[in-house]
């Protein structure tokens, strides 16, 4: 079952965040993930939105998410994101087609 990672990120140091971005895809592509959305200006449908970026990723399983997140490659670059931004992220399990109908 597909698993999604959704994050809203408030970036306060673009130069430091750029260091994260320059290696992100090289690491990410090793772990069966798909980058579904990155938006610097999402439209708010309800509530309030204070983040500067929205990100949506998909993976075949939660194990794949955790393998990516805990990998040496990701842990090497994520320090730049930690230094440059604040992120709230969730992992959500998708519905199979039968359950969605």
């Amino acid at each position: 079952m597909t698993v999604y990672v959704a994050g809203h990120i408030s970036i306060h140091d673009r130069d430091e965040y750029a260091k994260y971005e320059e290696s992100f895809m090289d690491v990410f592509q090793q772990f069966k993930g798909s980058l579904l959305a990155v938006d610097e200006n999402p439209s708010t449908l309800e509530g309030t939105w204070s983040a500067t970026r929205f990100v949506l990723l998909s993976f075949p399983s939660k194990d794949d998410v955790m393998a990516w997140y805990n990998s040496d490659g990701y842990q090497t670059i994520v320090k730049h994101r930690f230094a440059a931004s604040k992120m709230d992220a969730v992992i959500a399990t998708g519905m199979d087609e039968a359950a969605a109908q």
Side-chain angles (χ1 to χ4, degrees):
M1 181 127 5
T2 303
V3 174
Y4 300 93
V5 177
H8 62 86
I9 306 165
S10 295
I11 301 168
H12 55 82
D13 183 340
R14 289 281 178 181
D15 291 336
E16 185 69 18
Y17 197 86
K19 295 174 187 175
Y20 170 74
E21 290 177 306
E22 58 187 47
S23 298
F24 177 84
M25 288 306 292
D26 290 338
V27 173
F28 181 72
Q29 291 174 338
Q30 299 173 38
F31 291 93
K32 303 178 197 169
S34 295
L35 181 59
L36 302 178
V38 176
D39 196 335
E40 294 281 334
N41 191 26
S43 299
T44 303
L45 182 61
E46 285 189 36
T48 59
W49 183 268
S50 60
T52 57
R53 175 178 276 199
F54 171 80
V55 177
L56 181 62
L57 313 173
S58 71
F59 290 87
S61 71
K62 187 173 181 180
D63 288 342
D64 292 316
V65 172
M66 300 313 296
W68 160 70
Y69 189 84
N70 292 317
S71 71
D72 290 341
Y74 189 69
Q75 290 303 306
T76 297
I77 65 169
V78 76
K79 63 185 176 191
H80 299 294
R81 182 175 58 77
F82 292 154
S85 66
K86 181 180 182 314
M87 181 169 89
D88 294 314
V90 296
I91 299 171
T93 302
M95 298 175 61
D96 66 23
E97 287 187 35
Q101 294 182 22

